[in-house]
Amino acid sequence: MNISMELLRDFSSVGAGASRAFSYPFTRKTKQRRLSFVYLIRTSYSFKSCSATLSLTAEVEEKPKFDVDKAALLARELRKSFNSGRTTNYEWRMSQLKSIEKMLEEKENDITEALYKDLSKPGLEAFVAEISQVKSSCKLALKELSHWMIPEKVKTSLTTYPSSAEIVSEPLGVVLVISTWNFPFLLSLDPVIGAISAGNAVVLKPSEIAPATSLLLSNLVEEYLDKSAIRVVEGSVDETTALLEQKWDKILYTGSARVGRIVMAAAAKHLTPVILELGGKCPAVVDSNINLQVAVRRIIYGKWACNNGQACIGVDYIITTKDFAPKLIDALRYELEQFFGKDPMESKDISRIVSSSQFARLARLMDDDLVSDKIVLGGQRDVNQLKIAPTILLDVPEDAQIMQEEIFGPLMPILTVEKVEDSFKIIQSKPKPLAAYLFTNDEQLKKNFVQNIPSGGMLINDTILHVATDGLPFGGVGESGMGSYHGKFSFDAFSHKKAVLYRGFDADASIRYPPYTTQKQRLLKAVINGDIVSIILALIGW
């Protein structure tokens, strides 16, 4: 498999947009230019340009290519640092977590600005969805790390008596985190916090599609963290390919299922375990016996107020009954106006589409002959500003393209059924989603939904908030991913659970050793089976 070419195809398909090929210490700065968003788009794999008027400052750099040899050098340096025992030390882990906490306090404005440059993400949304989530993860790790590191005591069996046992959490070694662009700060640092907490050396590869945040992360990590054990590699296809050629002790990748397969194939060459955080079509089933206003506001929050639909856990489509659909649409129309005004294209409280290619992909979904006449709300678009209004489509055919792929944008199809229970078959006919949502007051329906709908995560009567609950793991199932992290699960994800059994030299029973006499066999079988009566009988020769 040509990993480089496959990655290039995938990044191109998602609009690898404003991309640079920065890389860790091999970059030599030369001069600065004022680069428009158009220029950045044009210089990213010769993409078709867009006339977005947004601009941001980037650096034109001459640098040696970050190739496989330099990636190997980086891996060796971090391996040496890890093998020295530096990262396994409790004090080192705490110092790095405290440095991240300090960084978040001191650089909040810089982080917010970078997220606005990359996605026009509103300041409050940037804080709630990204900065505060990283702060929460960091504070939890600082509070609980000493408890997480304590070996877990385990009961032993009669066959090993006398003995004691425990499970020791040890760091895996040198790990690679490949992040994505839609929540570029959160989805970069959250897993890094877990990797550091577990005592690993870490390489972070941020997404080049969010160039301002990528550059900021590179600068902040170098300024605040121990660069002998924690590094950032910026860049795109070549850099990612070079990194994937190396042997890592674990890889965490967040992004598309297509690149997820490439990452997994590269990891398989070294038998490297992977965590894949992918996505899928996350459904929201809406019953009629609900507080409609509250439900609709929460659906809007989990779709358009969540990066304008560009979120793997965002609501992808709604299923409701034919009778209830008109009432639901009226409520959505009213609350959308309350949130974003009469003209959502002018709202400052909604993010833009990340790139021209993503915009074109969403436009194709809207213009599909099977759905172009199904739009009942919205549909406005502005390629110059890379904006698409919140758009609702009613009774979309299930064979339409919009129902065959993850939308990842502000388009919301509504499917209708005769009774709400019929929604189960629709969801079960599709790959398992990363999240599934249900709005109802029917307790039996809730139980049936939990028992019969497979998904990475699930939330009843709300959207997306389950990922902010530290005690719950975040991860996919099937095509929506594998493995999980968040909170203690992040520590566990980057740890090996080592089984340890302790025994003394006393009570060395001869029955385990040859020669295997009939009496030994009887006694040994009785001990293994835990049959006290048989043990006594065997001991007395019966």
Side-chain angles (χ1 to χ4, degrees), residues 380-450:
Q380 305 96 311
R381 64 187 93 163
D382 183 347
V383 67
N384 293 328
Q385 296 298 319
L386 293 181
K387 283 191 173 183
I388 297 176
T391 300
I392 297 174
L393 305 94
L394 180 61
D395 285 329
V396 170
E398 287 192 53
D399 59 346
Q401 190 61 37
I402 200 171
M403 291 305 299
Q404 302 303 308
E405 63 183 58
E406 185 178 8
I407 295 171
F408 226 72
L411 316 181
M412 178 78 89
I414 296 180
L415 309 184
T416 60
V417 291
E418 293 298 331
K419 56 183 187 295
V420 72
E421 291 80 5
D422 295 338
S423 62
F424 287 27
K425 290 183 179 179
I426 295 175
I427 300 171
Q428 291 166 345
S429 70
K430 301 181 182 302
K432 298 172 184 177
L434 185 58
Y437 307 110
L438 170 68
F439 291 85
T440 186
N441 280 316
D442 186 324
E443 294 301 322
Q444 188 58 49
L445 184 61
K446 293 177 187 178
K447 291 179 182 178
N448 291 342
F449 194 77
V450 172

Side-chain angles (χ1 to χ4, degrees), residues 359-380:
F359 183 97
R361 181 186 64 81
L362 291 166
R364 286 194 297 272
L365 293 180
M366 296 169 66
D367 294 338
D368 182 351
D369 290 341
L370 293 176
V371 303
S372 58
D373 62 342
K374 304 294 185 181
I375 297 174
V376 295
L377 179 67
Q380 305 96 311

Side-chain angles (χ1 to χ4, degrees), residues 259-490:
V259 177
R261 289 180 172 88
I262 296 165
V263 171
M264 196 169 181
K269 293 191 300 183
H270 303 289
L271 295 181
T272 299
V274 297
I275 297 176
L276 300 179
E277 299 298 345
L278 308 177
K281 298 189 71 61
C282 301
V285 176
V286 182
D287 201 359
S288 58
N289 61 344
I290 57 173
N291 183 322
L292 184 56
Q293 182 185 33
V294 173
V296 162
R297 291 168 71 87
R298 291 175 178 178
I299 290 171
I300 293 173
Y301 184 80
K303 177 68 170 184
W304 296 285
C306 185
N307 213 28
N308 201 12
Q310 299 170 108
C312 55
I313 56 168
V315 180
D316 192 271
Y317 65 102
I318 293 173
I319 307 176
T320 191
T321 61
K322 293 182 184 298
D323 293 339
F324 192 65
K327 191 174 181 180
L328 175 62
I329 292 170
D330 286 342
L332 284 167
R333 179 183 289 108
Y334 176 81
E335 294 298 338
L336 280 168
E337 185 174 322
Q338 301 305 305
F339 281 26
F340 305 119
K342 291 185 179 297
D343 185 1
M345 301 292 283
E346 298 298 322
S347 175
K348 296 181 179 179
D349 295 320
I350 193 166
S351 302
R352 65 171 172 84
I353 307 305
V354 69
S355 68
S356 59
S357 57
Q358 280 284 59
F359 183 97
R361 181 186 64 81
L362 291 166
R364 286 194 297 272
L365 293 180
M366 296 169 66
D367 294 338
D368 182 351
D369 290 341
L370 293 176
V371 303
S372 58
D373 62 342
K374 304 294 185 181
I375 297 174
V376 295
L377 179 67
Q380 305 96 311
R381 64 187 93 163
D382 183 347
V383 67
N384 293 328
Q385 296 298 319
L386 293 181
K387 283 191 173 183
I388 297 176
T391 300
I392 297 174
L393 305 94
L394 180 61
D395 285 329
V396 170
E398 287 192 53
D399 59 346
Q401 190 61 37
I402 200 171
M403 291 305 299
Q404 302 303 308
E405 63 183 58
E406 185 178 8
I407 295 171
F408 226 72
L411 316 181
M412 178 78 89
I414 296 180
L415 309 184
T416 60
V417 291
E418 293 298 331
K419 56 183 187 295
V420 72
E421 291 80 5
D422 295 338
S423 62
F424 287 27
K425 290 183 179 179
I426 295 175
I427 300 171
Q428 291 166 345
S429 70
K430 301 181 182 302
K432 298 172 184 177
L434 185 58
Y437 307 110
L438 170 68
F439 291 85
T440 186
N441 280 316
D442 186 324
E443 294 301 322
Q444 188 58 49
L445 184 61
K446 293 177 187 178
K447 291 179 182 178
N448 291 342
F449 194 77
V450 172
Q451 291 175 359
N452 295 299
I453 299 301
S455 63
M458 186 171 284
L459 211 168
I460 308 297
N461 292 331
D462 211 327
T463 61
I464 74 174
L465 292 184
H466 61 297
V467 302
T469 305
D470 292 327
L472 292 175
F474 173 68
V477 59
E479 290 193 23
S480 61
M482 63 180 67
S484 61
Y485 69 110
H486 279 196
K488 172 67 160 52
F489 298 97
S490 293

Side-chain angles (χ1 to χ4, degrees), residues 520-534:
K520 282 185 178 181
Q521 291 182 41
R522 288 173 181 169
L523 181 56
L524 190 58
K525 287 181 179 179
V527 170
I528 292 173
N529 291 330
D531 187 340
I532 299 298
V533 174
S534 296

Side-chain angles (χ1 to χ4, degrees), residues 77-88:
E77 290 176 356
L78 294 186
R79 181 77 59 189
K80 181 179 179 181
S81 183
F82 173 77
N83 289 340
S84 73
R86 181 179 183 82
T87 68
T88 62

Side-chain angles (χ1 to χ4, degrees), residues 2-258:
N2 188 323
I3 294 176
S4 179
M5 289 304 297
E6 289 293 332
L7 280 169
L8 178 56
R9 292 190 197 103
D10 189 82
F11 287 136
S12 299
S13 71
V14 297
S19 161
R20 298 177 326 282
F22 298 126
S23 59
Y24 94 106
F26 306 106
T27 297
R28 180 164 59 87
K29 299 180 181 178
T30 54
K31 60 180 180 178
Q32 290 188 336
R33 287 181 55 185
R34 186 75 176 174
L35 298 185
S36 69
F37 185 79
V38 179
Y39 179 84
L40 289 169
I41 292 291
R42 283 175 179 162
T43 56
S44 300
Y45 312 126
S46 301
F47 286 149
K48 189 174 182 179
S49 66
C50 73
S51 53
T53 57
L54 299 170
S55 65
L56 51 108
T57 302
E59 294 180 340
V60 176
E61 301 183 354
E62 293 177 3
K63 66 175 188 64
K65 184 178 180 181
F66 185 87
D67 55 17
V68 171
D69 291 337
K70 287 171 182 173
L73 174 62
L74 170 60
R76 285 197 300 272
E77 290 176 356
L78 294 186
R79 181 77 59 189
K80 181 179 179 181
S81 183
F82 173 77
N83 289 340
S84 73
R86 181 179 183 82
T87 68
T88 62
N89 184 280
Y90 171 76
E91 286 72 22
W92 181 87
R93 304 185 202 190
M94 290 293 288
S95 70
Q96 298 309 297
L97 293 172
K98 288 176 181 177
S99 294
I100 293 176
E101 187 177 48
K102 180 182 179 183
M103 176 190 77
L104 294 169
E105 293 297 329
E106 294 179 350
K107 301 298 183 180
E108 182 176 317
N109 290 338
D110 293 345
I111 298 164
T112 302
E113 181 181 352
L115 292 170
Y116 184 80
K117 286 179 178 178
D118 287 331
L119 291 155
S120 293
K121 188 167 289 193
L124 182 60
E125 185 179 331
F127 177 80
V128 171
E130 302 217 42
I131 299 170
S132 70
Q133 293 297 309
V134 178
K135 284 184 176 181
S136 177
S137 294
C138 194
K139 287 180 179 178
L140 180 69
L142 284 167
K143 178 183 177 183
E144 300 293 341
L145 182 58
S146 60
H147 300 291
W148 294 346
M149 292 177 66
I150 296 174
E152 178 187 348
K153 295 297 181 183
V154 178
K155 290 182 179 181
T156 57
S157 66
L158 184 61
T159 55
T160 62
Y161 179 85
S163 64
S164 63
E166 63 185 12
I167 300 171
V168 177
S169 296
E170 65 179 12
L172 293 169
V174 184
V175 301
L176 173 64
V177 174
I178 305 175
S179 184
T180 191
W181 55 264
N182 57 335
F183 293 91
F185 192 76
L186 169 66
L187 297 180
S188 293
L189 281 190
D190 199 4
V192 167
I193 287 171
I196 291 172
S197 299
N200 298 279
V202 190
V203 173
L204 168 63
K205 167 59 184 68
S207 173
E208 75 282 1
I209 305 176
T213 307
S214 177
L215 178 59
L216 180 64
L217 281 166
S218 179
N219 293 336
L220 293 182
V221 167
E222 184 173 357
E223 179 180 352
Y224 284 88
L225 300 182
D226 181 359
K227 58 185 177 182
S228 73
I230 306 166
R231 300 281 182 87
V232 173
V233 173
E234 291 194 272
S236 54
V237 179
D238 290 340
E239 290 76 12
T240 306
T241 303
L243 289 171
L244 287 174
E245 289 293 325
Q246 311 311 310
K247 176 173 174 53
W248 308 97
D249 294 296
K250 195 156 199 175
I251 298 173
L252 186 148
Y253 166 76
T254 304
S256 72
R258 180 163 33 177

